[in-house]
């Protein structure tokens, strides 16, 4: 299984607005072939740091499934209207991991 993490470096002043964008997202990704799971991660030390590291994490059955989504109308539609640049302190990476094994050794 593939885990794709899109990391965002967010100005704490825009914490709520940024989180709200994801709360009200379209959710079209859930309909894609090979989609497994979506999580939105928010830092626990909110309010004590200059840059917050948030992450939009998706799980996919395969690389083909993930790439299929990035080339889809659903992806384009979800990203048609990005937030203002001032919400971010820097560009964050997109990292792709494979689940090598889990607690059951599987
Ligand atoms: C390969 C790169 C990216 C991945 C894997 C990714 C991942 C995701 C996922 C899983 C969603 C939810 C889609 C849905 O519910 O249908 C989403 C929406 C969103 N993404 Fe991305 N994203 C990427 C690039 C970007 C970039 C460059 C930005 C720029 C800041 C961005 C900002 C957002 C925002 C703000 C939303 C919420 C929807 C909205 O505000 O209209 N994403 N993204």
């Amino acid at each position: 299984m593939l885990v794709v993490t899109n990391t965002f470096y967010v100005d704490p002043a825009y914490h709520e607005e940024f989180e709200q964008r994801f709360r009200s997202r379209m959710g079209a990704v859930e309909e894609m072939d090979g989609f497994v799971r979506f999580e939105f991660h928010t830092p626990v030390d909110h309010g004590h740091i200059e840059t917050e590291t948030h992450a939009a994490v998706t799980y996919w059955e395969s690389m083909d499934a993930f790439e299929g989504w990035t080339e889809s109308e659903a992806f384009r539609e979800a990203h048609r209207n990005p937030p203002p640049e001032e919400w971010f302190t820097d560009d964050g990476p997109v990292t792709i991991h494979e689940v090598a094994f889990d607690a059951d050794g599987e």
Side-chain angles (χ1 to χ4, degrees):
M1 186 163 54
L2 213 66
V3 185
V4 182
T5 304
N6 188 17
T7 301
F8 297 92
Y9 298 127
V10 178
D11 182 326
Y14 299 100
H15 175 99
E16 300 302 339
E17 285 102 320
F18 183 68
E19 196 166 306
Q20 188 52 35
R21 285 290 291 261
F22 275 88
R23 278 193 198 285
S24 58
R25 75 198 167 82
M26 295 190 313
V29 67
E30 278 99 321
E31 310 303 322
M32 299 303 294
D33 280 349
F35 169 85
V36 177
R37 181 180 171 88
F38 169 81
E39 296 167 354
F40 181 80
H41 293 187
T42 198
V44 294
D45 49 357
H46 170 216
H48 303 282
I49 46 181
E50 290 173 7
T51 294
E52 297 186 349
T53 306
H54 292 247
V57 185
T58 44
Y59 294 66
W60 299 91
E61 285 172 6
S62 65
M63 183 65 91
D64 278 354
F66 168 63
E67 287 179 350
W69 175 61
T70 62
E71 290 159 10
S72 72
E73 185 55 32
F75 182 90
R76 263 190 301 282
E77 191 59 41
H79 295 95
R80 203 181 291 284
N81 176 28
E85 275 181 28
E86 61 174 359
W87 289 17
F88 305 100
T89 57
D90 205 346
D91 290 336
V94 176
T95 45
I96 303 182
H97 292 90
E98 202 171 64
V99 178
F101 55 86
D102 63 17
D104 300 324
E106 289 169 359

